[in-house]
Amino acid sequence: MSKVQYAPGKWTADSIMFTKRREAHGALAVRHGRSMGGTSAYALLGPDMTMPGAATNNPPSAIGAGWDLPWGGVGGPGLCFTQDGNQTWVRAHLINGEWEGSGASWANLTPMTSGGNANHKWVEARMKTYLQNFRAFDKNNNGGHNNYWYGLQYWVQVSIDPWAAPPAAGGNLYSYAPNMIKVTWRIVTLPKPAPGTWPWSAPAVAGTPAWIEATPALTPATMATIGPDLPNIPNNNIPAVLVNNAANLAGVGGLVYALPPGAPAIPAVASPYDGTVEIMQD
C-alpha cells in the first residue's frame, strides 16, 4: 500500500496503488512454422504487489496443439509436451502469475522443464524480497510520507536457440522449447504525483495507477539512496547462470528474442542489486 500527497500536507490513506504497470509482451515464438510459447515480456513492479489482497493467482491454463493436443501438419513431433516420458514439462510464466501475469495467454508462457522452472521460481522469490523491502521503505520511512517509490523493472527474454541438439529437426519435440530464458532486473525510483494533481483523497487513490502507467520517468537507483533507504535488502547472490546439468553450459550466452514492443531498453547496471541471469532448461 502507498500514500500520495493530494494537497500540500494532506495525504491519502494507505492504499493499494502501485502493483504492476507498463506490461508488454512480444509475439509468439515460431519454430519450424509452429507457434509455441512467448518470446519476451516486461513489467514495472511496485511495492504494493506484496500487500495482502494484491497478489493474484493465475495458474497456467493455456492449452492447444503441441502442449496437450497433437501437432498439426506434416513433419511435426509424434507427441506433445504432456506426453513426454523423459521430462516433466510446465508452462512457465514469463511474468509471474502472482504479479498479475496471465496464465491463459501463451504470450506469457513458455515450456520449461520442472528443474528450469524451479530455478526461475528461486529468482522470482528474490525479486519478491526486493519488493517487500520497497514496501517497508514506503510504509515506515518518514511515516509513509515519501515523495518517491522504489520499483523493479523486470525483463524476460526467451532464447532463440531450441533445447534440442543440432540440427533440431522439426520432428524433435525439444525443438519447440527454448534452451533457456534470460531474466534481467533493475531497481529504480519514480516520483509520486505532485500535490494538487487531484482535488481530494478518493480520486487520488483511484487515479494514481493510471498516472504511474503514463507519467513518471524512472531513475536508476544507486547506492546513494539504496544504502540509507533499504538497509535490510539482501545481497544479490544470483549467479549469471542457473543450470542443473553441467552439459547444458554449452548453451550459455545464446541469442534471445528482442524486447517486446513498447518495453524500455535495458539500462546499465546502477547498483550491486541489479542483475541478469540465464536460466537453463535443466
Side-chain angles (χ1 to χ4, degrees):
M1 297 187 181
S2 304
K3 296 178 181 178
V4 298
Q5 191 174 188
Y6 62 90
K10 295 183 178 181
W11 294 76
T12 65
D14 213 7
S15 305
I16 296 176
M17 291 183 273
F18 183 9
T19 53
K20 181 198 66 173
R21 312 308 308 168
R22 308 184 188 184
E23 185 175 6
H25 288 272
L28 295 179
V30 178
R31 305 176 191 272
H32 301 289
R34 299 174 176 88
S35 63
M36 175 50 66
T39 53
S40 58
Y42 168 77
L44 173 64
L45 306 174
D48 297 349
M49 188 67 72
T50 65
M51 294 306 301
T56 56
N57 181 20
N58 294 323
S61 59
I63 56 175
W67 176 253
D68 62 338
L69 296 173
W71 298 81
V74 177
L79 72 168
C80 56
F81 282 100
T82 59
Q83 296 172 323
D84 186 14
N86 298 316
Q87 293 287 339
T88 300
W89 291 92
V90 298
R91 293 158 291 183
H93 290 76
L94 304 186
I95 303 299
N96 191 297
E98 294 186 0
W99 301 340
E100 302 174 355
S102 174
S105 170
W106 275 112
N108 192 51
L109 302 169
T110 193
M112 288 199 76
T113 61
S114 57
N117 191 55
N119 284 336
H120 189 201
K121 286 182 176 294
W122 182 73
V123 173
E124 292 170 326
R126 177 49 53 92
M127 300 301 105
K128 183 176 180 179
T129 303
Y130 282 5
L131 295 173
Q132 289 168 335
N133 277 265
F134 301 167
R135 165 59 186 158
F137 164 78
D138 202 55
K139 178 182 178 182
N140 300 322
N141 185 72
N142 197 30
H145 296 167
N146 306 295
N147 61 9
Y148 60 93
W149 286 287
Y150 278 92
L152 188 71
Q153 291 183 289
Y154 191 77
W155 298 264
V156 182
Q157 295 167 276
V158 172
S159 71
I160 295 174
D161 295 332
W163 196 38
N172 186 333
L173 178 66
Y174 299 168
S175 294
Y176 301 88
N179 188 50
M180 57 88 174
I181 61 172
K182 183 178 181 180
V183 177
T184 303
W185 63 94
R186 298 288 187 264
I187 297 178
V188 295
T189 61
L190 58 159
K192 291 186 176 181
T197 303
W198 295 280
W200 64 89
S201 179
V205 171
T208 293
W211 184 90
I212 295 172
E213 186 78 30
T215 306
L218 307 178
T219 301
T222 67
M223 289 306 298
T225 58
I226 291 175
D229 288 350
L230 307 173
N232 298 316
I233 192 169
N235 290 330
N236 176 15
N237 63 344
I238 298 175
V241 178
L242 283 171
V243 59
N244 299 325
N245 185 344
N248 291 331
L249 285 170
V252 170
L255 296 176
V256 293
Y257 285 100
L259 298 177
I266 298 174
V269 168
S271 82
Y273 300 99
D274 294 341
T276 299
V277 58
E278 291 186 8
I279 304 172
M280 311 304 291
Q281 278 286 15
D282 196 12

